[in-house]
Amino acid sequence: MSPPTPDDAAAGAAETTRLGATLRDATLLDAVWDAHTVRELPNGDTQLFIGLHLIHEVTSAQAFSMLRDMGLRVRHPERTFATVDHIIPTDSHRRPFADELAEAMMTELERNCREHGVHFFDPTRGEQGIVHVIGPELGLTQPGMTIACGDSHTSTHGAFGAVAFGIGTSQVRDVLATQCLSIARPKVRRIEIGGRLQPGVYAKDVILHVIQRLGVKGGIGFAYEYAGAVIEAMTLEERMTVCNMSIEGGARCGYVNPDETTFAYLRGRERAPQGAAFERAVAWWRSIASGPKASYADRVSFDGSAIPPTITFGIHPGQSVGIGARIPRPDDVPADERASLEEALAYMGLRPGAPIEGTPIDVAFIGSCTNGRLSDLREAARVAAKGRVARGVKALVVPGSQAVARAAEAEGLPEVFRAAGFEWREAGCSMCLAMNPDKLVGREMCASSSNRNFKGRQGSPAGRTLLMSPVMVAAAALNGRVTDARELL
Ligand code: SF4
């Protein structure tokens, strides 16, 4: 199947000229939104054209079934791409899956893709991976696009300067049927991270810090535009980690303005524009970046130099502390946060006022759409090479895609992890959500590079999650307790 064009609603030199004159004062969000607006609806929403629709096995089955009931077909199969990620076992991708429900979901996805002419990134062809990992690595995700997927962490794709958000099952149906969504335009909050990160501090620490400071509901009604020296210095993979967790801060989406780092990442990718089309696309991509006179509904800034390695201690991603800090006491927090903190401490079994460093763990999980990319695995392997997984700790490394796995294998990373006592698995979401057999057991405590620490998130109703960067997970695996990875790096 031929690659989709870059988002045709907006691409091309003519568009660049027409829009370029007016876009200098607009945010990227507004520029992309306006370029994709079909019409304003009477309820105030926008009928928004969706340039790229990514689907997976969990939220698409019911949507396809509704489509079938209505006698409709997928409107733009060439803009729709499917993968299997949540339910796929990671010990082996061999069919049929032992879990009959997982096998049925996989079979249903294959059937729907076949019937509607949608490209399925098939594990047997080495194309499979987490939906938010494969879109970018294939070059499907491009600046200036509108991207939707029936998964909360679609915000990941904003790292390229796309407007990308998660949608529910009935909206998946709507996009399949019409390639459009009815949706409210968010306001834009610019979040500037200035200064320079200290060694051993990663993108994961940055976004955990932002969510800790702005709150898990602080972003409601907003798109987060990330900027500043720290963001500009980040690789695309690091920007994806930041944008991925925008939704955990309550934002509708998060994005970074496209720049030379973005263009260099995309050049030559399989499904990115090629040759002269790429140069035309770059001209458009440059033109949609927020202009110097763009106005924002809100602006906040943080000093990146002051961000420590950050770990969650509670039951939402905003409950976190720096590695050198103590777990807060109920008296330390504002009155309206006290009940939530007490609930978190009771669930997690952590002592208020105790240092987070040294908290014992049972499981270590490196993977997910937040931190399952090659650079994450490389950094974690640097730590894994320093020792052996502590006795009694189960440690898993799960690449975000089969392409990531191949690249890691070419660098010898699985051998490093295996020598240290980690299990090297096949690609999938795995223990991030535990819709496959990779689950916590009982009250196990998991050091995890994923993005959610809600009660029961990792498969056991009583399981406990400590979110942190991949290097911190690797360090915790070696020591059997939360550890400052900088001591090992
Ligand atoms: S890795 Fe986790 S957050 Fe990401 S798509 Fe899979 S289940 Fe969702």
Side-chain angles (χ1 to χ4, degrees), residues 133 197 200-208 234-235 237-242 244-245 308-312 361 363-386 389 393-400 404 413 416-417 420 422 424 446-451 466-479 481-486 488-489:
V133 175
L197 297 181
V201 176
Y202 292 87
K204 182 63 155 288
D205 304 306
V206 171
I207 189 61
L208 284 174
M234 282 183 176
T235 65
E237 296 200 350
E238 291 170 320
R239 294 177 188 179
M240 282 189 253
T241 299
V242 172
N244 173 277
M245 290 191 69
T310 301
I311 307 106
T312 62
I361 65 150
V363 178
F365 169 62
I366 297 172
S368 86
C369 61
T370 315
N371 280 128
R373 297 183 177 81
L374 183 62
S375 55
D376 299 312
L377 306 189
R378 273 188 195 139
E379 287 299 294
R382 286 174 61 208
V383 172
K386 307 280 183 181
V389 171
V393 171
K394 178 185 174 72
L396 265 69
V397 182
V398 186
V404 169
L413 301 186
V416 174
F417 284 116
F422 289 79
W424 175 260
C446 181
S448 179
S449 71
S450 55
N451 48 40
L466 303 167
L467 300 176
M468 58 189 81
S469 72
V471 296
M472 291 288 285
V473 176
L478 299 193
N479 287 349
R481 53 188 163 74
V482 173
T483 298
D484 190 340
R486 293 174 296 188
L488 296 168
L489 279 168

Side-chain angles (χ1 to χ4, degrees), residues 67-310:
L67 217 59
R68 205 167 283 128
D69 290 346
M70 291 186 287
L72 296 174
R73 295 194 55 74
V74 174
R75 178 70 187 265
H76 280 287
E78 80 286 3
R79 292 183 179 275
T80 312
F81 293 86
T83 188
V84 57
D85 48 15
H86 286 58
I87 53 98
I88 198 163
T90 61
D91 51 350
S92 166
H93 283 175
R94 203 171 314 118
R95 303 284 295 278
F97 302 147
D99 179 343
E100 287 178 13
L101 179 60
E103 178 61 28
M105 290 170 82
M106 176 76 160
T107 305
E108 181 69 6
L109 181 64
E110 290 170 318
R111 177 173 81 107
N112 286 327
C113 289
R114 227 177 11 252
E115 280 185 6
H116 289 269
V118 169
H119 186 86
F120 174 50
F121 292 117
D122 194 326
T124 62
R125 290 197 299 269
E127 298 175 330
Q128 174 267 347
I130 304 173
V131 65
H132 311 310
V133 175
I134 59 173
E137 74 188 7
L138 287 166
L140 277 172
T141 302
Q142 295 162 25
M145 276 186 165
T146 46
I147 301 177
C149 173
D151 187 276
S152 312
H153 295 89
T154 307
S155 55
T156 310
H157 305 261
F160 291 78
V163 172
F165 36 77
I167 54 178
T169 300
S170 56
Q171 292 173 305
V172 173
R173 172 204 60 198
D174 295 347
V175 180
L176 287 174
T178 68
Q179 205 63 31
C180 291
L181 269 181
S182 164
I183 188 167
R185 183 192 298 241
K187 297 173 287 184
V188 183
R189 171 179 289 145
R190 184 169 164 99
I191 300 177
E192 292 193 5
I193 320 280
R196 198 170 158 185
L197 297 181
Q198 295 170 29
V201 176
Y202 292 87
K204 182 63 155 288
D205 304 306
V206 171
I207 189 61
L208 284 174
H209 185 80
V210 167
I211 298 169
Q212 177 206 97
R213 299 290 291 276
L214 299 180
V216 287
K217 295 181 181 165
I220 291 175
F222 284 98
Y224 279 176
E225 176 177 302
Y226 301 100
V230 164
I231 301 293
E232 285 164 18
M234 282 183 176
T235 65
L236 249 295
E237 296 200 350
E238 291 170 320
R239 294 177 188 179
M240 282 189 253
T241 299
V242 172
C243 290
N244 173 277
M245 290 191 69
S246 305
I247 187 76
E248 304 306 331
R252 192 70 183 90
C253 59
Y255 67 85
V256 177
N257 283 301
D259 60 9
E260 298 308 320
T261 305
T262 321
F263 312 144
Y265 178 97
L266 282 169
R267 188 181 294 278
R269 298 258 162 196
E270 186 183 331
R271 288 175 183 269
Q274 307 290 326
F278 186 83
E279 303 311 326
R280 281 199 303 278
V282 167
W284 155 248
W285 296 341
R286 276 189 215 287
S287 78
I288 45 112
S290 297
K293 293 185 186 162
S295 66
Y296 297 88
D298 191 28
R299 300 179 84 123
V300 290
S301 58
F302 297 101
D303 177 7
S305 326
I307 298 176
T310 301

